Amino acid sequence: MPSMEATVRRSGAARRRWLRVLTATAVLLVGLASPAAADPAGPTHYDSVLGAVEPADAPLDVQILGGDAFLVVSVPAGVQAEVPGYEGEPYVRFEPDGTVLVNERSPARWLNDARYGELEVELPTIADAEAAPVFVEVASDGTYAWHDHRIHFMSPSLPPQVDPSAGSPQPVMDWTVPVEVDGQTVEITGTLSWVPGPSPLVSALLVVLAVALAAAVVLRRPSAAAGLTLVGAVVAVGVGVTKVVGLPAGADGEPMLLVLPGITLALLGMGLALSRRADGADTRGALVTAAAGIPLLVWAVLQFGALTRPIVPGPLPVGAVRVAVALTGAAGLAALGAVVRRVMAATSLDAPTPRPAP
């Protein structure tokens, strides 16, 4: 019969092994969760509102997505338009047949890859406002979206005129984006404002409710963890679809909002298959099922800004997104707690030691 010292060593080694697995999984998920797109729209305090298109009869349809993230311009068939870059160079060209072209030599093409432009982007050697344009096709339906730095504030710091304690929206600046439409100069104008966030009590309450729900499942109803994970995954997929699918060309989405709940659903199916195949004799299925919700915790972290900021990109009401983030976070926390509980039980010194065969 193994000695107590040997049992302790085995138990400690098992715990360390499982800790390494969990740590590696968490690191992998965080790495995967890094947005693949250059700079997708996220929750924000800034609201850029379209004022007017002058002249009013100009054949343009203009929208702003994500608070102040993307300027979207649509040009009808038969009309040619061109948006200049920040140095007056050709930037976006709309052809009469609906083809949309972007000049690869325009510095704006590269600066618009990130919200704060030159603070985050190093211009490649190809970028030269004085060089002959090199156009590449980016859309074929006459609609294109881009980060236009003329419509948002270009610093991660607060504008000097904004007082965040004021509790009311405050103007930041007026803006203008010129467009040449069939040889006529058209101006798109608007205003940018800073909007205060929701009451901290609302955010704190949602976090407390999420933690309480997760704790109740882990401590009182462990059997409900898989159900909560399934609900959280379905909710996350629903929110992700509204934020990723149907964006115009040029508007970056966040694919991890669909990939992460997809991983959860795949792991739930795998865990169920393993459990059925083993007829309950193998604990791997139960462990995989318990761990399936951990990607949802990463999903909730990616969307945590929805709890503290007033403007949340997407067509869903802000309140609905906040509830979805809290529910998904609860599912992820419950999954993490369930995994830790199973690992601790599997490596417990109190677990029965098999007797040697006679």
Side-chain angles (χ1 to χ4, degrees), residues 45-241:
H45 285 278
Y46 291 97
D47 190 21
S48 205
V49 178
L50 179 66
V53 177
E54 296 291 346
D57 60 351
L60 294 179
D61 182 47
V62 183
Q63 302 176 55
I64 297 172
L65 295 181
D68 67 339
F70 295 103
L71 181 66
V72 187
V73 174
S74 296
V75 177
V79 175
Q80 185 169 47
E82 185 170 285
V83 181
Y86 307 125
E87 299 178 47
E89 79 282 5
Y91 171 40
V92 182
R93 177 176 293 175
F94 298 83
E95 299 289 1
D97 64 355
T99 301
V100 184
L101 307 170
V102 167
N103 176 18
E104 288 286 291
R105 287 193 172 274
S106 167
R109 176 263 177 268
W110 303 97
L111 293 172
N112 291 350
D113 274 349
R115 178 180 177 87
Y116 299 120
E118 61 186 10
L119 295 181
E120 302 175 277
V121 175
E122 182 176 350
L123 289 177
T125 54
I126 191 177
D128 184 353
E130 302 297 328
V134 175
F135 284 103
V136 297
E137 183 175 339
V138 292
S140 59
D141 61 355
T143 298
Y144 190 63
W146 66 94
H147 282 302
D148 197 301
H149 299 323
R150 290 165 284 211
I151 75 169
H152 57 242
F153 188 63
M154 291 299 292
S155 172
S157 303
L158 277 177
Q161 70 270 36
V162 167
D163 178 7
S165 65
S168 59
Q170 299 166 65
V172 175
M173 66 181 189
D174 297 326
W175 53 262
T176 300
V177 177
V179 186
E180 288 291 321
V181 181
D182 286 340
Q184 179 185 28
T185 299
V186 174
E187 289 189 341
I188 304 170
T189 61
T191 58
L192 176 69
S193 299
W194 186 90
V195 182
S199 168
L201 293 177
V202 174
S203 304
L205 178 61
L206 287 172
V207 171
V208 169
L209 289 175
V211 173
L213 177 57
V217 169
V218 173
L219 300 176
R220 294 181 177 273
R221 294 289 298 275
S223 60
L228 181 59
T229 294
L230 178 60
V231 171
V234 171
V235 168
V237 167
V239 173
V241 166

Side-chain angles (χ1 to χ4, degrees), residues 242-272:
T242 67
K243 289 177 175 288
V244 175
V245 177
L247 291 175
D252 298 326
E254 212 167 347
M256 285 300 118
L257 295 183
L258 289 176
V259 171
L260 290 168
I263 293 174
T264 289
L265 292 172
L267 289 176
L268 279 175
M270 185 186 305
L272 180 61

